[in-house]
Amino acid sequence: MPEQLLPTPGQTVGPFFAFGLDYPASHELVHPHSPGAIVLSGTVFDGAGMPVPDAVVEIWQPDADGRIPTARGSLKRDGHTFTGFGRSLTSDDGHYEFWTVAPGAVDAGKAPYLLVALFARGLLDRLFTRIYLPGDDAALAADPLLSSLTADERATLVARRTPAGHLEHDLHLQGAKETVFLEF
Amino acid sequence: MTQQAPAPESLLATAVQDEQSTISREIAELHAERDRGPGTGVEIDFAPYRSSILRHPTKNPKLADPEAIELTSPAYGQRDVARIESDLTLQHTGEPLGERIVVTGRVLDGWGRPVRNQLIEIWQANAAGRYIHQRDQHPAPLDPNFTGAGRVITGDDGSYRFTTIKPGAYPWKNHRNAWRPAHIHFSVFGSAFTQRIVTQMYFPGDPLFALDPIYQSIPNQADRERLVAAYDHDLTSPEFSLGYRWDIVLTGPKAIWSEPEEGEH
């Protein structure tokens, strides 16, 4: 049986999404500096290599043990419940940032990652991508998606670990380093 | 907190201000050359919307097999959203100016099943076409009794309902004399995160539709009309508000389509 209803098309979030989509602690999946907390940050770039100051980055992820959260409270954070969802509006220099925990693998042997939805003024529909954790080379090599990509493409999906243990990952809408975006 | 307001006003203007006739000709040419089959959705490479030129991916997206995290979605409930947040006319001490409206409908998946207990966020300009945002410097009046943002959680039948003010059309800087049709921005979550969508609801009969490169970025007329609410006189309240109905259909994952299980309908 095919889909019976045709989907509603997407549209850009436009420039004034902040007062519709912003809310306190939207980018704090965990309390900053709490045990196990890391910063996941990066810059969103356009095809000219310029930072995109009016983008929204959303993440959705399992907890550190690979459990998929079912708790409510992503909009009104209580400071201790892990809901797995975060939203960061890019700053004037295109920077996004989350406080979160490194996700665990949902299935043993699978490479853990965070799922990303990306929105921006000028971007007519949301984009999906994944941010994989660096380090476990065997799991990354075995991942079905990563292993289907060229080395350059794979590099756009795996974060860098900073000396402090945080994660950095840039998102490129276009250009030589264009991020691999996904459909499902 | 590193969060900041987006987009300095200077970044919103295109470097070269084309005439509307140029934009309209480009739209017509692009529509003529594209597949106009049903359900094609939105074109992300749509140059008449000038800001999209450097912001659309050039490569086809990779088809990924969704994993468990992609087939679930954040959980929301009244812990997240207060009931009053769905009435944008009650957020200040006075009545906002403009045409009071009710916008209601259902969020459904591709099989027509309701998407329950999920978050809808909306934002919009006021009746004069002005956003209450420091970077919206369009010289239309701000309304001290209207912020223009609301939230609701869908009910068991996937329904939502907002009370608000009909937004005005407003100018933007895509080209000379560019005006957006009146619209309300909608952010919707599905029961799978891959159903996530941000879109815009338009009002029937708007004379700006043909001129607007964002609305026209959808190549198929039937798809465009999917974003236009229906005026519904049965939703209109005597001496109070006009009613519009608008349903939102979310996609399901393409990669692992399977028969819906018994009892899920």
Side-chain angles (χ1 to χ4, degrees):
Chain A
M1 188 177 75
E3 292 192 4
Q4 301 291 304
L5 300 176
L6 292 169
T8 302
Q11 295 272 264
T12 173
V13 297
F16 301 124
F17 52 76
F19 69 114
L21 294 178
D22 201 11
Y23 59 90
S26 69
H27 70 308
E28 295 177 5
L29 287 78
V30 297
H31 195 66
H33 307 290
S34 56
I38 57 167
V39 175
L40 165 67
S41 66
T43 301
V44 181
F45 292 101
D46 72 11
M50 297 299 291
V52 176
D54 41 14
V56 186
V57 180
E58 291 181 346
I59 59 173
W60 171 234
Q61 64 164 97
D63 69 12
D65 297 322
R67 285 185 301 250
I68 294 173
T70 55
R72 294 172 176 176
S74 294
L75 262 71
K76 291 187 180 149
R77 307 266 191 210
D78 61 14
H80 53 83
T81 301
F82 185 78
T83 68
F85 176 77
R87 175 181 288 164
S88 178
L89 315 187
T90 55
S91 62
D92 283 353
D93 55 359
H95 188 77
Y96 74 89
E97 181 173 300
F98 295 98
W99 278 102
T100 188
V101 291
V106 177
D107 299 310
K110 287 270 181 87
Y113 62 85
L114 307 95
L115 178 60
V116 175
L118 176 60
F119 309 85
R121 181 181 65 86
L123 177 61
L124 280 158
D125 199 7
R126 83 285 178 275
L127 300 171
F128 293 119
T129 185
R130 294 174 178 174
I131 301 176
Y132 284 88
L133 303 188
D136 187 345
D137 292 340
L140 291 173
D143 182 83
L145 174 68
L146 292 179
S147 58
S148 73
L149 304 177
T150 68
D152 284 348
E153 289 173 331
R154 264 197 306 277
T156 74
L157 298 185
V158 182
R160 302 179 301 277
R161 185 96 60 186
T162 71
H166 298 310
L167 295 174
E168 287 181 345
H169 188 73
D170 295 336
L171 298 166
H172 294 263
L173 288 167
Q174 203 185 79
K177 295 180 183 172
E178 185 173 308
T179 299
V180 170
F181 295 104
L182 304 175
E183 69 175 329
F184 296 93
Chain B
M1 188 84 177
T2 59
Q3 312 256 17
Q4 294 173 36
E9 175 76 358
S10 60
L11 294 177
L12 300 179
T14 54
V16 178
Q17 289 278 292
D18 292 287
E19 293 294 323
Q20 178 71 54
S21 58
T22 304
I23 297 293
S24 294
R25 186 169 62 247
E26 289 181 29
I27 290 171
E29 287 168 1
L30 285 166
H31 285 184
E33 78 185 31
R34 290 200 146 97
D35 174 21
R36 307 254 225 129
T40 49
V42 64
E43 289 278 351
I44 60 168
D45 173 10
F46 200 73
Y49 177 25
R50 296 298 193 232
S51 308
S52 73
I53 293 173
L54 288 171
R55 294 185 173 190
H56 73 273
T58 60
K59 296 168 184 156
N60 288 330
K62 304 280 182 189
L63 191 62
D65 201 11
E67 296 188 17
I69 189 67
E70 278 134 357
L71 296 172
T72 56
S73 200
Y76 295 100
Q78 292 307 327
R79 178 195 183 316
D80 294 280
V81 177
R83 196 172 296 275
I84 198 171
E85 292 183 64
S86 65
D87 190 334
L88 287 70
T89 70
L90 296 182
Q91 295 172 349
H92 299 274
T93 52
E95 292 278 338
L97 296 170
E99 188 177 303
R100 193 188 290 108
I101 60 172
V102 164
V103 178
T104 187
R106 297 173 75 203
V107 182
L108 305 168
D109 70 11
W111 299 285
R113 298 176 297 193
V115 176
R116 304 180 172 93
N117 296 321
Q118 282 301 340
L119 175 67
I120 301 182
E121 297 159 285
I122 65 168
W123 64 104
Q124 62 169 93
N126 68 22
R130 176 106 183 244
Y131 285 95
I132 193 163
H133 189 291
Q134 60 181 348
R135 265 119 188 200
D136 184 355
Q137 294 299 319
H138 164 214
L142 283 171
D143 185 340
N145 292 316
F146 191 71
T147 301
R151 294 190 163 112
V152 76
I153 304 291
T154 57
D156 279 346
D157 58 352
S159 66
Y160 72 89
R161 182 184 179 97
F162 288 103
T163 302
T164 182
I165 295 293
K166 187 178 179 187
Y170 59 81
W172 58 311
K173 299 175 188 302
N174 186 70
H175 55 277
R176 202 180 80 77
N177 215 8
W179 287 74
R180 297 269 6 251
H183 61 276
I184 299 176
H185 295 267
F186 272 70
S187 155
V188 182
F189 290 78
S191 50
F193 197 69
T194 50
Q195 295 179 308
R196 180 89 177 88
I197 187 175
V198 167
T199 188
Q200 298 173 23
M201 188 208 89
Y202 299 88
F203 292 86
D206 196 313
L208 295 168
F209 284 155
L211 306 173
D212 179 42
I214 293 180
Y215 178 76
Q216 295 291 338
S217 67
I218 301 160
N220 180 275
Q221 178 64 24
D223 284 341
R224 289 198 283 276
E225 289 170 2
R226 213 159 275 131
L227 296 186
V228 182
Y231 173 71
D232 186 337
H233 203 61
D234 289 335
L235 284 171
T236 291
S237 301
E239 321 298 327
F240 187 74
S241 63
L242 297 171
Y244 291 89
R245 186 174 295 282
W246 188 55
D247 291 338
I248 303 164
V249 180
L250 306 178
T251 56
K254 292 173 187 159
I256 54 127
W257 186 84
S258 61
E259 287 284 337
E261 289 176 27
E262 286 299 314
E264 267 192 278
H265 285 282

